[in-house]
Amino acid sequence: MAVAAVAWCLALAPAALAGGPDMTLGASEDAVRSPDLVKSKSAMTLLHLAGFRAVRVSSVWLGGQLVPSDTELKTLKNVAAAANLSGVRVYLAVYNAGAKTTPLAAESREQFVQYTAAIVKAVPTIKDVIVGNEPNGNRFWQPQFEFDGFDAAAPAYLHLLTETYDALKALSADVRVYGGALAPRGTDVPGAGGTHSPTTFLRDLGKAYRASGRTKPIMDALSLHPYGQDSSTSPDDLHPLAGTIGLADYGKLVALLGTAFDGTAQPGTKLPILYDDFGVESKLPTAKAKLYSGAEPATTRPVDETTQAAFYRRALELAFCQPTVTGLLLRHAQDEALLVGSQSGLLYADGTPKTSLAAVKAALLATRGGSVARCPGMALPVGLRLVRFPYGSGLKKPALSFRVRCELDCVFRARLVRVADGATTLAVNGRAAAGAQVRTFLPKRKVAPGRYRLVLTLSHPVNPGVPLVRDSAPFRLPH
């Protein structure tokens, strides 16, 4: 099938397939950041070998900076170069160093905006930019509340997001700006240490946006960190009454976005969603303990590697079936060596694989192939990258085979049909993983001499759409 025809078939996929097999699968991983290109490429190669095709890296604005340091720019250029060599998409998260550098005043916002724009201008292959980090929490954003108890964080973050959006779009309309980067929970209690749940924050962000009178969007997509209460928390946990938003609360999240933004210039219900930080920490085997230092926080509650793999697969299944989700990034590809950090990678701190790696890598492949989960209403078309039928006259029976390569996972049935009367004389069933070329032979049984053709019918094995039928040109089989 011609490339143009494949693209046409995929273009016919319904809008509900915004996620599905097209979902970006990657890792939040600053280990790929290095002023040494070789080290950056080495870390990127490990990430790619683990099955990831995207990476989120950070650039921390320290306050007062108008442009990144030369070392920071070199580091980000190395990330971009290493990613390009490995076929990895880069998401850049730019955020302030902590609550003391919250960009509240107009001057500090302008500095933050110039800093972010300088990176995009210097590294033009970076097209995905996440603005801020967990502005609904007090670690990175203060104050959270006004003296009267009203939300101070959401309206202030709106200013930063708006100004950054406008500056980046002025540089290039192709840059995608992600707002939010929200923590999955918060107290919603004013006072010292108070934070906002993402539920309250989104409502207040919408109110502030409507009150601003702005007639342009403020973001192209929403970023959310849907990690659980601790690593032992299943991705299936629902929070219908609480302000928390986890992976299973997709319906609630979409409804909130609709309440916040529908009817304005900013998309709400249909706003793309990126889950850019979901991690499950695993227990460390004794043989690997020497690689790590410090003490594991009691609140982490790490799980065994089998459970880690199961939770990651379940996260992929949930996100895959959520129509407006465009990506899921796991935290991390490789463990941090400090136990106070995160040991949620599929590789130990020395880069060797955990037992969870193979299972998660298989789940990533199944997601890309469209088979990780059966989703209500999802009907995936089968695009062909290649179909090679027998050709020529005087074909010998042992040569009666064909080759298939599908865009997504596919199952197929091939029939040897007699041209004279349309009768099926031989048939064979088969299956191909996405992108894999499969050669299939018809059964070795006698057929009468004559003119025949092969009729190939393909469909998706888990979320089938309209079957795709391809016929070969007629050919002659001898005695």
Side-chain angles (χ1 to χ4, degrees):
M1 192 178 195
V3 173
V6 171
W8 179 80
C9 284
L10 293 178
L12 290 181
L17 301 186
D22 294 328
M23 189 169 63
T24 301
L25 305 174
S28 299
E29 186 59 270
D30 274 347
V32 300
R33 284 175 43 91
S34 175
D36 183 329
L37 178 57
V38 174
K39 290 182 179 178
S40 185
K41 180 60 176 73
S42 177
M44 195 73 74
T45 298
L46 280 176
L47 181 140
H48 188 273
L49 289 173
F52 298 116
R53 299 296 179 266
V55 64
R56 189 201 75 177
V57 297
S58 62
S59 183
V60 178
W61 178 73
L62 301 175
Q65 293 172 286
L66 293 175
V67 294
S69 68
D70 291 343
T71 300
E72 178 67 5
L73 273 184
K74 183 178 181 181
T75 295
L76 294 175
K77 287 179 179 179
N78 286 345
V79 168
N84 182 59
L85 291 169
S86 297
V88 171
R89 178 177 179 175
V90 176
Y91 293 84
L92 175 69
V94 183
Y95 54 89
N96 51 300
K100 290 183 179 180
T101 55
T102 304
L104 297 173
E107 182 181 6
S108 60
R109 289 200 306 272
E110 177 60 23
Q111 292 166 348
F112 179 97
V113 170
Q114 288 191 37
Y115 177 94
T116 306
I119 295 174
V120 173
K121 188 174 182 179
V123 196
T125 56
I126 294 178
K127 299 294 186 184
D128 298 275
V129 180
I130 302 167
V131 180
N133 188 57
E134 302 191 347
N136 57 323
N138 54 32
R139 179 181 176 185
F140 291 98
W141 200 279
Q142 289 187 22
Q144 284 287 305
F145 294 91
E146 303 284 6
F147 289 113
D148 56 9
F150 283 96
D151 191 341
Y157 176 71
L158 175 70
H159 287 303
L160 181 69
L161 180 58
T162 300
E163 293 168 19
T164 307
Y165 178 93
D166 289 344
L168 296 183
K169 290 296 183 179
L171 281 177
S172 172
D174 294 334
V175 175
R176 290 169 290 271
V177 179
Y178 297 74
L182 298 174
R185 62 188 62 86
T187 64
D188 289 330
V189 177
T195 60
H196 285 92
S197 70
T199 296
T200 299
F201 191 91
L202 285 173
R203 286 173 180 159
D204 291 346
L205 188 67
K207 290 175 183 176
Y209 173 77
R210 292 175 187 273
S212 73
R214 182 174 168 87
T215 57
K216 295 193 299 182
I218 54 174
M219 55 182 159
D220 298 309
L222 178 80
S223 165
L224 178 72
H225 304 165
Y227 48 82
Q229 182 70 40
D230 57 57
S231 288
S232 69
T233 304
S234 168
D236 284 306
D237 269 20
L238 287 164
H239 309 90
L241 301 179
T244 299
I245 299 177
L247 282 167
D249 298 306
Y250 171 75
K252 171 182 169 180
L253 174 57
V254 172
L256 281 167
L257 289 170
T259 298
F261 300 113
D262 280 355
T264 73
Q266 171 61 52
T269 303
K270 296 182 180 179
L271 183 67
I273 297 165
L274 172 69
Y275 296 136
D276 68 312
D277 195 6
F278 177 77
V280 177
E281 297 198 36
S282 64
K283 298 175 183 176
L284 299 175
T286 303
K288 295 292 183 179
K290 63 182 179 182
L291 299 172
Y292 301 82
S293 61
E296 181 78 64
T299 54
T300 302
R301 299 184 67 186
V303 297
D304 59 72
E305 292 174 13
T306 300
T307 302
Q308 182 193 40
F311 280 4
Y312 279 152
R313 183 181 180 93
R314 184 57 184 147
L316 289 165
E317 291 171 352
L318 287 168
F320 180 84
C321 290
Q322 297 173 352
T324 56
V325 170
T326 61
L328 173 63
L329 310 183
L330 304 184
R331 180 180 182 180
H332 298 285
Q334 186 172 342
D335 281 356
E336 295 179 52
L338 294 176
L339 291 174
V340 71
S342 182
Q343 287 73 54
S344 53
L346 302 176
L347 306 169
Y348 297 113
D350 61 356
T352 57
K354 296 182 181 180
T355 58
S356 53
L357 173 61
V360 176
K361 193 171 182 179
L364 292 168
L365 288 172
T367 303
R368 293 191 184 94
S371 299
V372 75
R374 188 182 301 278
C375 308
M378 183 179 286
L380 296 176
V382 173
L384 278 175
R385 292 187 186 179
L386 168 77
V387 58
R388 188 169 295 162
F389 288 122
Y391 60 93
S393 60
L395 285 169
K396 296 180 180 179
K397 186 66 187 304
L400 201 54
S401 66
F402 59 93
R403 299 176 189 270
V404 167
R405 181 185 296 164
C406 297
E407 291 283 348
L408 302 177
D409 295 343
C410 64
V411 290
F412 55 84
R413 180 171 177 80
R415 296 181 296 120
L416 182 66
V417 176
R418 194 161 48 228
V419 173
D421 57 8
T424 297
T425 58
L426 294 175
V428 65
N429 297 324
R431 182 176 185 133
Q437 182 172 311
V438 173
R439 184 181 185 186
T440 302
F441 288 86
L442 269 75
K444 295 180 179 180
R445 293 203 297 269
K446 289 185 178 181
V447 295
R451 285 169 58 79
Y452 292 85
R453 60 189 173 90
L454 274 174
V455 178
L456 183 63
T457 303
L458 307 99
S459 62
H460 195 272
V462 180
N463 295 289
V466 177
L468 181 66
V469 180
R470 288 290 179 268
D471 293 8
S472 74
F475 53 86
R476 181 173 296 280
L477 289 180
H479 288 286

